[in-house]
Amino acid sequence: MENKFTLALLPGDGIGPEVVQEAVKVLRVLEKNLGLKLTLNEVPVGGAGYETEGHPLPKASLKVAREADAVLLGAVGGPRWEQLDFSLRPERALLGLRSSLKLYANLRPARVFPALVDASTLKREVVENLDILVVRELTGGIYFGEPRGIEIQADRTRRGINTLVYTESEILRIARVAFDVARKRNKKVMSVDKANVLEATGLWREVVTELHKEYSDITLDHMYVDNCAMQLVRAPKQFDVIVTTNMFGDILSDQASMLTGSIGMLPSASIGGETAMYEPIHGSAPDIAGKGLANPLATILSVGMMFKYSFDREAVNAKVESAVESVLNQGIRTCDIMSDGMTEVSTQEMGDRVVKELEGL
Ligand code: NAD
């Protein structure tokens, strides 16, 4: 088994560098425990890229990301860059990385750790033991379709246009990811569309159904997106893997993440090309940046996903998850998940506690 890996570290802005620093501690302890050789190449992106190189995704940073075995991103953005032209905004780095690295599948697990079940705004019985995975198509659909823009009509009023387009091959490849990951989980896929209104998602339903013939061990169901939004808060445990389009996935994955209580807990993986990218789902949280208040667990859990999906070491992901679970069971909390009777710790202390657990595993 391969044991030398080169990682691109893209800490970004706000709390990005703080949470990535804790993830690096975890990477170093895993390196030692597993006898690996990790080369970590840190480069600026987002606002940090703009400040140093005049662009949110400097060419040199993209090159480092492209040449890496995997990419770990913190978060980008902040009020300091909000007045910039759209093409120079920090968030453009995300779109640039996704399209350059051909990351067409975004995997977002939403798992409720038993110790945090009361952090959810939903009733305990609705979310207890919840473990679902949203597979979102990331490089197609209405966010990229042409024509797009705002035009002036003959009567001088404006008309805004976006286009929902999906080709058969785009649908096939994302559906295949969903069936493959479901095989390693509870073997259930829910394909979400709006086939009653949108032809492009009618095709989506047809193609997913055709591909399902190759996956007879997986149960496939279809659901309209409006119903899915409702079912996610009514009875989320009915789902295992949800696969859906770019825009529906954008919305549903945020909704699913909040079932778990805190945005600071949720990792993600973007896969499809040769180099996959791992990142917490949260943003750069300028309101708490630099104060040691950020929860680093989403980024640490993203490292676990990296070992599962890029390095074919599923057992390492399980170890990272159980180290996090054990720290939570000891009542250790950052302020976003703090509750009565628990011990509040800083970003750095939370990282140290997870490292300590991993040293013992
Ligand atoms: P956000 O996710 O940064 O913050 C939302 C709220 O959650 C804030 O109150 C924040 O303090 C809290 N929060 C977020 N992460 C946390 C953590 N790890 N621990 C504790 N609390 C945490 O979203 P926002 O405020 O809408 O956006 C801030 C900036 O981040 C914007 O510039 C936005 O464009 C950018 N953004 C970047 C990404 C990304 O890099 N992938 C994603 C979303 C938003």
Side-chain angles (χ1 to χ4, degrees):
M1 211 181 220
E2 182 69 56
N3 66 358
K4 279 188 187 158
F5 300 104
T6 301
L7 307 188
L9 293 185
L10 281 42
D13 311 314
I15 62 169
E18 298 169 53
V19 293
V20 166
Q21 194 179 327
E22 300 315 304
V24 168
K25 289 184 192 164
V26 167
L27 282 164
R28 289 301 182 201
V29 73
L30 293 174
E31 177 181 39
K32 196 173 80 186
N33 283 0
L34 302 166
L36 304 176
K37 174 81 190 84
L38 301 181
T39 304
L40 308 183
N41 294 327
E42 187 176 322
V43 286
V45 293
Y50 177 77
E51 296 300 335
T52 52
E53 308 286 335
H55 194 276
L57 183 55
K59 281 202 180 94
S61 299
L62 181 58
K63 184 166 183 287
V64 167
R66 272 215 184 104
E67 289 171 358
D69 295 306
V71 177
L72 182 67
L73 176 87
V76 295
R80 183 168 173 170
W81 303 286
E82 268 166 16
Q83 307 311 321
L84 288 175
D85 181 74
F86 190 66
S87 62
L88 293 175
R89 296 256 185 97
E91 293 78 1
R92 295 296 292 179
L94 298 175
L95 296 181
L97 283 162
R98 285 171 191 165
S99 60
S100 304
L101 300 177
K102 301 188 174 57
L103 305 175
Y104 62 81
N106 182 226
L107 312 187
R108 277 194 182 189
R111 176 174 171 213
V112 176
F113 286 94
L116 293 184
V117 70
D118 293 318
S120 174
T121 49
L122 296 189
K123 287 188 192 130
R124 166 178 275 270
E125 60 269 27
V126 176
V127 294
E128 202 162 28
N129 300 320
L130 180 76
D131 182 359
I132 61 180
L133 178 73
V134 179
V135 177
R136 168 188 169 194
E137 200 289 324
L138 206 57
T139 52
I142 197 164
Y143 292 176
F144 293 91
E146 298 282 348
R148 61 186 301 154
I150 301 171
E151 61 183 30
I152 310 287
Q153 306 181 95
D155 66 0
R156 295 190 163 274
T157 59
R158 287 167 298 172
R159 179 170 177 258
I161 310 150
N162 288 96
T163 307
L164 174 62
V165 196
Y166 269 114
T167 63
E168 195 168 341
S169 61
E170 284 175 322
I171 302 167
L172 269 177
R173 65 185 187 181
I174 189 75
R176 199 173 282 289
V177 169
F179 286 129
D180 286 341
V181 294
R183 217 166 232 170
K184 294 184 176 172
R185 295 174 47 96
N186 290 325
K187 298 189 167 52
K188 273 175 28 180
V189 170
M190 179 65 76
S191 174
V192 174
D193 59 47
K194 191 71 181 166
N196 51 340
V197 181
L198 301 169
E199 285 83 352
T201 69
L203 177 67
W204 177 283
R205 188 175 284 219
E206 277 175 32
V207 173
V208 173
T209 305
E210 285 158 20
L211 182 66
H212 180 230
K213 290 184 191 126
E214 292 179 27
Y215 291 87
S216 54
D217 54 323
I218 310 285
T219 305
L220 171 68
D221 287 297
H222 303 272
M223 194 176 264
Y224 296 137
V225 63
D226 40 350
N227 186 22
C228 184
M230 185 178 78
Q231 296 298 334
L232 266 177
V233 284
R234 193 189 72 85
K237 283 190 260 183
Q238 68 185 283
F239 300 110
D240 176 23
V241 173
I242 293 175
V243 61
T244 189
T245 65
N246 201 342
M247 182 165 71
F248 295 163
D250 191 3
I251 299 163
L252 293 177
S253 62
D254 265 26
Q255 189 184 347
S257 71
M258 280 322 292
L259 301 172
T260 69
S262 173
I263 199 167
M265 291 297 303
L266 293 161
S268 78
S270 299
I271 63 173
E274 281 180 11
T275 303
M277 185 162 83
Y278 300 84
E279 57 182 311
I281 71 154
H282 59 72
S284 58
D287 52 334
I288 58 167
K291 298 179 182 161
L293 296 176
N295 184 345
L297 294 178
T299 317
I300 289 171
L301 291 165
S302 300
V303 167
M305 289 187 87
M306 181 187 289
F307 277 82
K308 177 171 176 173
Y309 292 104
S310 284
F311 305 155
D312 205 18
R313 284 172 161 87
E314 203 162 341
V316 177
N317 183 40
K319 278 188 178 166
V320 173
E321 287 184 352
S322 79
V324 168
E325 188 159 3
S326 162
V327 170
L328 294 172
N329 288 343
Q330 292 159 32
I332 307 300
R333 302 281 189 275
T334 40
C335 70
D336 57 312
I337 49 174
M338 185 60 193
S339 59
D340 284 351
M342 303 293 141
T343 308
E344 189 172 329
V345 296
S346 67
T347 310
Q348 293 77 8
E349 285 171 273
M350 183 58 105
D352 291 341
R353 297 299 287 244
V354 176
V355 165
K356 198 164 155 227
E357 286 302 314
L358 282 167
E359 275 167 351
L361 282 177

